Amino acid sequence: MAIRIDGKALAAKVKSQVAAEAAKLPRKPGLAVVLVGEDPASQVYVAGKERDCAECGIESFGHRLGAETTEDELLALVRRLNGDPRVDGILVQLPLPGHLSEETVINAIAPDKDVDCFHPFNVGRMVIGDPVFLPCTPAGVMAMLDEYEIPIRGKRCVVLGRSNIVGKPMAALLTQRDGTVTVCHSRTEDMAQYAREADILVSAVGRTGLVTADMVKEGAVVVDVAMNRDGDGRLCGDVDFAAVEPKASCITPVPGGVGPMTRACLMRNILTAAALHQA
Ligand code: GUN
């Protein structure tokens, strides 16, 4: 039976380190959290991030905007936050309502406050191996692999999904650690064939039941990034956990796996930003 990777416990450890470091700064770190519209999942995620801030001694400034907010209004808020010295990090929760360009809004965030690591400047720095911030979910996955002493160098890594938030930066970080990385996506012919070769399989697609036992090599490490709802409304990932667990050597559960680590790595990025601003 596989070792279950305890993301919740590791996240608690990371957050207590962040809290200890934050307490040493002359001024409390600050995060501005911007939520546009009433997407229920986003409301839950944002509330969780604000709770984490409180636990870490980070001040959070919430900005709830109506779904009808114009791009000009949102950009004006981002610019105001860029210039606010109490704000070290700016998080605009995605997805945005359809009439707003995520790209335009992300590009407007000052790179030194881009704690999601979504701005092209920070993505570039990360890809060349000279990061300011690390993307939260991929960094959380790397921290879990390291905590459980899972070797990456020379290993066959397969990432399912090519989003800007997870798939692409995940592939970049695994490559930097000398993994041999294949990225599969919606146009991949026979995804299962690639998945079966993986020593480390990371699924970040968002489709319940995508990863079945026949797609997993005996002894593989399986990381499930997805946050889906099953037919009964329960939180689940992409991986058929019950069927895959007996084949894997290590596996992340959903919930309690990657999710808490994403949030812990956000806290770490806010600390990094605050340290930069208060240096
Ligand atoms: N939506 C889903 N994940 C994320 C994230 O990590 N950051 C932001 N800003 N929005 C998200």
Side-chain angles (χ1 to χ4, degrees), residues 33-61:
V33 180
V34 181
L35 176 59
V36 186
E38 272 95 45
D39 179 65
S42 290
Q43 287 176 340
V44 173
Y45 298 151
V46 159
K49 292 169 189 180
E50 290 173 332
R51 248 193 337 269
D52 290 330
C53 283
E55 279 176 38
C56 292
I58 293 168
E59 190 146 17
S60 62
F61 306 97

PDB file of all heavy atoms in Angstrom, residues 33-61:
ATOM      1  N   VAL A  33      -6.274  40.771  -1.348  1.00  0.00           N
ATOM      2  CA  VAL A  33      -6.977  39.671  -2.014  1.00  0.00           C
ATOM      3  C   VAL A  33      -8.156  40.266  -2.775  1.00  0.00           C
ATOM      4  O   VAL A  33      -9.037  40.875  -2.177  1.00  0.00           O
ATOM      5  CB  VAL A  33      -7.496  38.656  -0.973  1.00  0.00           C
ATOM      6  CG1 VAL A  33      -8.229  37.520  -1.670  1.00  0.00           C
ATOM      7  CG2 VAL A  33      -6.364  38.113  -0.135  1.00  0.00           C
ATOM      8  N   VAL A  34      -8.137  40.083  -4.094  1.00  0.00           N
ATOM      9  CA  VAL A  34      -9.182  40.670  -4.933  1.00  0.00           C
ATOM     10  C   VAL A  34     -10.046  39.539  -5.499  1.00  0.00           C
ATOM     11  O   VAL A  34      -9.529  38.628  -6.150  1.00  0.00           O
ATOM     12  CB  VAL A  34      -8.561  41.492  -6.082  1.00  0.00           C
ATOM     13  CG1 VAL A  34      -9.656  42.120  -6.943  1.00  0.00           C
ATOM     14  CG2 VAL A  34      -7.611  42.562  -5.530  1.00  0.00           C
ATOM     15  N   LEU A  35     -11.343  39.627  -5.216  1.00  0.00           N
ATOM     16  CA  LEU A  35     -12.280  38.621  -5.739  1.00  0.00           C
ATOM     17  C   LEU A  35     -13.371  39.355  -6.514  1.00  0.00           C
ATOM     18  O   LEU A  35     -14.056  40.219  -5.967  1.00  0.00           O
ATOM     19  CB  LEU A  35     -12.888  37.819  -4.576  1.00  0.00           C
ATOM     20  CG  LEU A  35     -13.954  36.789  -4.941  1.00  0.00           C
ATOM     21  CD1 LEU A  35     -13.423  35.739  -5.902  1.00  0.00           C
ATOM     22  CD2 LEU A  35     -14.502  36.113  -3.682  1.00  0.00           C
ATOM     23  N   VAL A  36     -13.498  39.005  -7.789  1.00  0.00           N
ATOM     24  CA  VAL A  36     -14.522  39.634  -8.629  1.00  0.00           C
ATOM     25  C   VAL A  36     -15.637  38.617  -8.887  1.00  0.00           C
ATOM     26  O   VAL A  36     -15.366  37.524  -9.381  1.00  0.00           O
ATOM     27  CB  VAL A  36     -13.929  40.099  -9.982  1.00  0.00           C
ATOM     28  CG1 VAL A  36     -14.979  40.873 -10.777  1.00  0.00           C
ATOM     29  CG2 VAL A  36     -12.690  40.954  -9.763  1.00  0.00           C
ATOM     30  N   GLY A  37     -16.853  38.987  -8.533  1.00  0.00           N
ATOM     31  CA  GLY A  37     -17.990  38.097  -8.776  1.00  0.00           C
ATOM     32  C   GLY A  37     -18.242  37.158  -7.609  1.00  0.00           C
ATOM     33  O   GLY A  37     -17.598  37.271  -6.550  1.00  0.00           O
ATOM     34  N   GLU A  38     -19.183  36.225  -7.812  1.00  0.00           N
ATOM     35  CA  GLU A  38     -19.640  35.385  -6.698  1.00  0.00           C
ATOM     36  C   GLU A  38     -19.379  33.889  -6.915  1.00  0.00           C
ATOM     37  O   GLU A  38     -20.102  33.057  -6.385  1.00  0.00           O
ATOM     38  CB  GLU A  38     -21.147  35.603  -6.466  1.00  0.00           C
ATOM     39  CG  GLU A  38     -21.461  36.740  -5.513  1.00  0.00           C
ATOM     40  CD  GLU A  38     -21.733  38.042  -6.259  1.00  0.00           C
ATOM     41  OE1 GLU A  38     -22.477  38.006  -7.254  1.00  0.00           O
ATOM     42  OE2 GLU A  38     -21.153  39.072  -5.872  1.00  0.00           O
ATOM     43  N   ASP A  39     -18.371  33.546  -7.680  1.00  0.00           N
ATOM     44  CA  ASP A  39     -18.086  32.127  -7.908  1.00  0.00           C
ATOM     45  C   ASP A  39     -17.916  31.424  -6.561  1.00  0.00           C
ATOM     46  O   ASP A  39     -17.046  31.786  -5.763  1.00  0.00           O
ATOM     47  CB  ASP A  39     -16.806  31.993  -8.751  1.00  0.00           C
ATOM     48  CG  ASP A  39     -16.440  30.544  -8.996  1.00  0.00           C
ATOM     49  OD1 ASP A  39     -17.221  29.860  -9.668  1.00  0.00           O
ATOM     50  OD2 ASP A  39     -15.394  30.085  -8.489  1.00  0.00           O
ATOM     51  N   PRO A  40     -18.762  30.412  -6.263  1.00  0.00           N
ATOM     52  CA  PRO A  40     -18.730  29.814  -4.923  1.00  0.00           C
ATOM     53  C   PRO A  40     -17.395  29.150  -4.579  1.00  0.00           C
ATOM     54  O   PRO A  40     -16.907  29.271  -3.453  1.00  0.00           O
ATOM     55  CB  PRO A  40     -19.859  28.773  -4.947  1.00  0.00           C
ATOM     56  CG  PRO A  40     -20.564  28.915  -6.241  1.00  0.00           C
ATOM     57  CD  PRO A  40     -19.797  29.839  -7.134  1.00  0.00           C
ATOM     58  N   ALA A  41     -16.788  28.470  -5.545  1.00  0.00           N
ATOM     59  CA  ALA A  41     -15.495  27.819  -5.265  1.00  0.00           C
ATOM     60  C   ALA A  41     -14.451  28.878  -4.940  1.00  0.00           C
ATOM     61  O   ALA A  41     -13.675  28.736  -3.979  1.00  0.00           O
ATOM     62  CB  ALA A  41     -15.059  26.968  -6.451  1.00  0.00           C
ATOM     63  N   SER A  42     -14.420  29.967  -5.713  1.00  0.00           N
ATOM     64  CA  SER A  42     -13.442  31.029  -5.470  1.00  0.00           C
ATOM     65  C   SER A  42     -13.651  31.647  -4.083  1.00  0.00           C
ATOM     66  O   SER A  42     -12.673  31.994  -3.405  1.00  0.00           O
ATOM     67  CB  SER A  42     -13.562  32.122  -6.541  1.00  0.00           C
ATOM     68  OG  SER A  42     -13.109  31.637  -7.784  1.00  0.00           O
ATOM     69  N   GLN A  43     -14.905  31.778  -3.678  1.00  0.00           N
ATOM     70  CA  GLN A  43     -15.170  32.344  -2.348  1.00  0.00           C
ATOM     71  C   GLN A  43     -14.558  31.464  -1.257  1.00  0.00           C
ATOM     72  O   GLN A  43     -13.970  31.964  -0.299  1.00  0.00           O
ATOM     73  CB  GLN A  43     -16.685  32.509  -2.132  1.00  0.00           C
ATOM     74  CG  GLN A  43     -17.258  33.669  -2.941  1.00  0.00           C
ATOM     75  CD  GLN A  43     -18.769  33.782  -2.823  1.00  0.00           C
ATOM     76  OE1 GLN A  43     -19.447  32.828  -2.448  1.00  0.00           O
ATOM     77  NE2 GLN A  43     -19.300  34.939  -3.158  1.00  0.00           N
ATOM     78  N   VAL A  44     -14.677  30.158  -1.429  1.00  0.00           N
ATOM     79  CA  VAL A  44     -14.101  29.224  -0.453  1.00  0.00           C
ATOM     80  C   VAL A  44     -12.572  29.333  -0.456  1.00  0.00           C
ATOM     81  O   VAL A  44     -11.940  29.416   0.604  1.00  0.00           O
ATOM     82  CB  VAL A  44     -14.540  27.765  -0.766  1.00  0.00           C
ATOM     83  CG1 VAL A  44     -13.810  26.766   0.120  1.00  0.00           C
ATOM     84  CG2 VAL A  44     -16.051  27.621  -0.605  1.00  0.00           C
ATOM     85  N   TYR A  45     -11.965  29.360  -1.649  1.00  0.00           N
ATOM     86  CA  TYR A  45     -10.500  29.425  -1.737  1.00  0.00           C
ATOM     87  C   TYR A  45      -9.971  30.709  -1.092  1.00  0.00           C
ATOM     88  O   TYR A  45      -8.986  30.685  -0.350  1.00  0.00           O
ATOM     89  CB  TYR A  45     -10.030  29.372  -3.198  1.00  0.00           C
ATOM     90  CG  TYR A  45     -10.385  28.095  -3.929  1.00  0.00           C
ATOM     91  CD1 TYR A  45     -10.598  28.085  -5.301  1.00  0.00           C
ATOM     92  CD2 TYR A  45     -10.508  26.887  -3.246  1.00  0.00           C
ATOM     93  CE1 TYR A  45     -10.926  26.916  -5.972  1.00  0.00           C
ATOM     94  CE2 TYR A  45     -10.835  25.718  -3.911  1.00  0.00           C
ATOM     95  CZ  TYR A  45     -11.051  25.735  -5.279  1.00  0.00           C
ATOM     96  OH  TYR A  45     -11.378  24.587  -5.938  1.00  0.00           O
ATOM     97  N   VAL A  46     -10.636  31.814  -1.401  1.00  0.00           N
ATOM     98  CA  VAL A  46     -10.181  33.111  -0.898  1.00  0.00           C
ATOM     99  C   VAL A  46     -10.302  33.165   0.632  1.00  0.00           C
ATOM    100  O   VAL A  46      -9.391  33.642   1.322  1.00  0.00           O
ATOM    101  CB  VAL A  46     -10.993  34.241  -1.584  1.00  0.00           C
ATOM    102  CG1 VAL A  46     -10.960  35.512  -0.774  1.00  0.00           C
ATOM    103  CG2 VAL A  46     -10.458  34.475  -2.995  1.00  0.00           C
ATOM    104  N   ALA A  47     -11.394  32.632   1.151  1.00  0.00           N
ATOM    105  CA  ALA A  47     -11.563  32.608   2.618  1.00  0.00           C
ATOM    106  C   ALA A  47     -10.440  31.798   3.256  1.00  0.00           C
ATOM    107  O   ALA A  47      -9.897  32.168   4.308  1.00  0.00           O
ATOM    108  CB  ALA A  47     -12.928  32.025   2.980  1.00  0.00           C
ATOM    109  N   GLY A  48     -10.055  30.690   2.612  1.00  0.00           N
ATOM    110  CA  GLY A  48      -8.959  29.861   3.124  1.00  0.00           C
ATOM    111  C   GLY A  48      -7.644  30.626   3.139  1.00  0.00           C
ATOM    112  O   GLY A  48      -6.866  30.542   4.103  1.00  0.00           O
ATOM    113  N   LYS A  49      -7.381  31.373   2.074  1.00  0.00           N
ATOM    114  CA  LYS A  49      -6.129  32.140   2.004  1.00  0.00           C
ATOM    115  C   LYS A  49      -6.105  33.222   3.083  1.00  0.00           C
ATOM    116  O   LYS A  49      -5.056  33.486   3.693  1.00  0.00           O
ATOM    117  CB  LYS A  49      -5.971  32.751   0.605  1.00  0.00           C
ATOM    118  CG  LYS A  49      -5.737  31.699  -0.480  1.00  0.00           C
ATOM    119  CD  LYS A  49      -5.831  32.256  -1.896  1.00  0.00           C
ATOM    120  CE  LYS A  49      -5.799  31.112  -2.910  1.00  0.00           C
ATOM    121  NZ  LYS A  49      -5.882  31.546  -4.311  1.00  0.00           N
ATOM    122  N   GLU A  50      -7.252  33.839   3.334  1.00  0.00           N
ATOM    123  CA  GLU A  50      -7.309  34.878   4.368  1.00  0.00           C
ATOM    124  C   GLU A  50      -7.097  34.261   5.768  1.00  0.00           C
ATOM    125  O   GLU A  50      -6.442  34.871   6.614  1.00  0.00           O
ATOM    126  CB  GLU A  50      -8.634  35.645   4.275  1.00  0.00           C
ATOM    127  CG  GLU A  50      -8.668  36.521   3.020  1.00  0.00           C
ATOM    128  CD  GLU A  50      -9.999  37.188   2.752  1.00  0.00           C
ATOM    129  OE1 GLU A  50     -11.042  36.645   3.160  1.00  0.00           O
ATOM    130  OE2 GLU A  50     -10.002  38.249   2.109  1.00  0.00           O
ATOM    131  N   ARG A  51      -7.610  33.072   5.967  1.00  0.00           N
ATOM    132  CA  ARG A  51      -7.380  32.361   7.242  1.00  0.00           C
ATOM    133  C   ARG A  51      -5.903  32.050   7.424  1.00  0.00           C
ATOM    134  O   ARG A  51      -5.332  32.223   8.499  1.00  0.00           O
ATOM    135  CB  ARG A  51      -8.184  31.056   7.247  1.00  0.00           C
ATOM    136  CG  ARG A  51      -9.320  31.049   8.244  1.00  0.00           C
ATOM    137  CD  ARG A  51      -9.921  29.672   8.486  1.00  0.00           C
ATOM    138  NE  ARG A  51      -9.765  28.663   7.455  1.00  0.00           N
ATOM    139  CZ  ARG A  51     -10.644  28.468   6.460  1.00  0.00           C
ATOM    140  NH1 ARG A  51     -11.717  29.216   6.345  1.00  0.00           N
ATOM    141  NH2 ARG A  51     -10.439  27.513   5.570  1.00  0.00           N
ATOM    142  N   ASP A  52      -5.270  31.582   6.349  1.00  0.00           N
ATOM    143  CA  ASP A  52      -3.832  31.283   6.411  1.00  0.00           C
ATOM    144  C   ASP A  52      -3.039  32.529   6.772  1.00  0.00           C
ATOM    145  O   ASP A  52      -2.084  32.458   7.555  1.00  0.00           O
ATOM    146  CB  ASP A  52      -3.335  30.746   5.061  1.00  0.00           C
ATOM    147  CG  ASP A  52      -3.862  29.357   4.773  1.00  0.00           C
ATOM    148  OD1 ASP A  52      -4.102  28.596   5.725  1.00  0.00           O
ATOM    149  OD2 ASP A  52      -4.038  29.030   3.582  1.00  0.00           O
ATOM    150  N   CYS A  53      -3.403  33.666   6.169  1.00  0.00           N
ATOM    151  CA  CYS A  53      -2.705  34.926   6.472  1.00  0.00           C
ATOM    152  C   CYS A  53      -2.793  35.204   7.974  1.00  0.00           C
ATOM    153  O   CYS A  53      -1.765  35.524   8.609  1.00  0.00           O
ATOM    154  CB  CYS A  53      -3.336  36.087   5.706  1.00  0.00           C
ATOM    155  SG  CYS A  53      -2.868  36.153   3.973  1.00  0.00           S
ATOM    156  N   ALA A  54      -3.975  35.085   8.528  1.00  0.00           N
ATOM    157  CA  ALA A  54      -4.153  35.374   9.960  1.00  0.00           C
ATOM    158  C   ALA A  54      -3.244  34.460  10.795  1.00  0.00           C
ATOM    159  O   ALA A  54      -2.579  34.913  11.725  1.00  0.00           O
ATOM    160  CB  ALA A  54      -5.620  35.189  10.351  1.00  0.00           C
ATOM    161  N   GLU A  55      -3.175  33.176  10.414  1.00  0.00           N
ATOM    162  CA  GLU A  55      -2.327  32.211  11.145  1.00  0.00           C
ATOM    163  C   GLU A  55      -0.849  32.571  11.060  1.00  0.00           C
ATOM    164  O   GLU A  55      -0.073  32.246  11.957  1.00  0.00           O
ATOM    165  CB  GLU A  55      -2.478  30.804  10.544  1.00  0.00           C
ATOM    166  CG  GLU A  55      -3.700  30.051  10.992  1.00  0.00           C
ATOM    167  CD  GLU A  55      -3.770  28.717  10.251  1.00  0.00           C
ATOM    168  OE1 GLU A  55      -2.724  28.085  10.028  1.00  0.00           O
ATOM    169  OE2 GLU A  55      -4.898  28.322   9.889  1.00  0.00           O
ATOM    170  N   CYS A  56      -0.453  33.199   9.955  1.00  0.00           N
ATOM    171  CA  CYS A  56       0.966  33.477   9.717  1.00  0.00           C
ATOM    172  C   CYS A  56       1.366  34.883  10.149  1.00  0.00           C
ATOM    173  O   CYS A  56       2.513  35.288   9.907  1.00  0.00           O
ATOM    174  CB  CYS A  56       1.295  33.298   8.233  1.00  0.00           C
ATOM    175  SG  CYS A  56       1.198  31.593   7.682  1.00  0.00           S
ATOM    176  N   GLY A  57       0.448  35.631  10.740  1.00  0.00           N
ATOM    177  CA  GLY A  57       0.787  37.007  11.120  1.00  0.00           C
ATOM    178  C   GLY A  57       0.915  37.922   9.914  1.00  0.00           C
ATOM    179  O   GLY A  57       1.698  38.868   9.915  1.00  0.00           O
ATOM    180  N   ILE A  58       0.135  37.618   8.886  1.00  0.00           N
ATOM    181  CA  ILE A  58       0.114  38.440   7.665  1.00  0.00           C
ATOM    182  C   ILE A  58      -1.226  39.167   7.632  1.00  0.00           C
ATOM    183  O   ILE A  58      -2.281  38.540   7.839  1.00  0.00           O
ATOM    184  CB  ILE A  58       0.286  37.552   6.410  1.00  0.00           C
ATOM    185  CG1 ILE A  58       1.693  36.934   6.385  1.00  0.00           C
ATOM    186  CG2 ILE A  58      -0.003  38.331   5.134  1.00  0.00           C
ATOM    187  CD1 ILE A  58       1.891  35.830   5.362  1.00  0.00           C
ATOM    188  N   GLU A  59      -1.179  40.473   7.386  1.00  0.00           N
ATOM    189  CA  GLU A  59      -2.419  41.237   7.311  1.00  0.00           C
ATOM    190  C   GLU A  59      -3.060  41.004   5.941  1.00  0.00           C
ATOM    191  O   GLU A  59      -2.363  41.011   4.928  1.00  0.00           O
ATOM    192  CB  GLU A  59      -2.101  42.719   7.492  1.00  0.00           C
ATOM    193  CG  GLU A  59      -3.317  43.564   7.672  1.00  0.00           C
ATOM    194  CD  GLU A  59      -3.062  44.739   8.621  1.00  0.00           C
ATOM    195  OE1 GLU A  59      -1.877  45.061   8.872  1.00  0.00           O
ATOM    196  OE2 GLU A  59      -4.034  45.311   9.088  1.00  0.00           O
ATOM    197  N   SER A  60      -4.377  40.771   5.891  1.00  0.00           N
ATOM    198  CA  SER A  60      -5.010  40.645   4.572  1.00  0.00           C
ATOM    199  C   SER A  60      -6.024  41.759   4.377  1.00  0.00           C
ATOM    200  O   SER A  60      -6.723  42.152   5.301  1.00  0.00           O
ATOM    201  CB  SER A  60      -5.642  39.263   4.384  1.00  0.00           C
ATOM    202  OG  SER A  60      -6.651  39.042   5.319  1.00  0.00           O
ATOM    203  N   PHE A  61      -6.018  42.283   3.163  1.00  0.00           N
ATOM    204  CA  PHE A  61      -6.922  43.363   2.781  1.00  0.00           C
ATOM    205  C   PHE A  61      -7.841  42.811   1.694  1.00  0.00           C
ATOM    206  O   PHE A  61      -7.390  42.585   0.568  1.00  0.00           O
ATOM    207  CB  PHE A  61      -6.138  44.564   2.236  1.00  0.00           C
ATOM    208  CG  PHE A  61      -5.057  45.060   3.168  1.00  0.00           C
ATOM    209  CD1 PHE A  61      -3.732  44.669   3.004  1.00  0.00           C
ATOM    210  CD2 PHE A  61      -5.370  45.915   4.219  1.00  0.00           C
ATOM    211  CE1 PHE A  61      -2.733  45.124   3.858  1.00  0.00           C
ATOM    212  CE2 PHE A  61      -4.374  46.373   5.084  1.00  0.00           C
ATOM    213  CZ  PHE A  61      -3.051  45.982   4.908  1.00  0.00           C
TER     214      PHE A  61
END
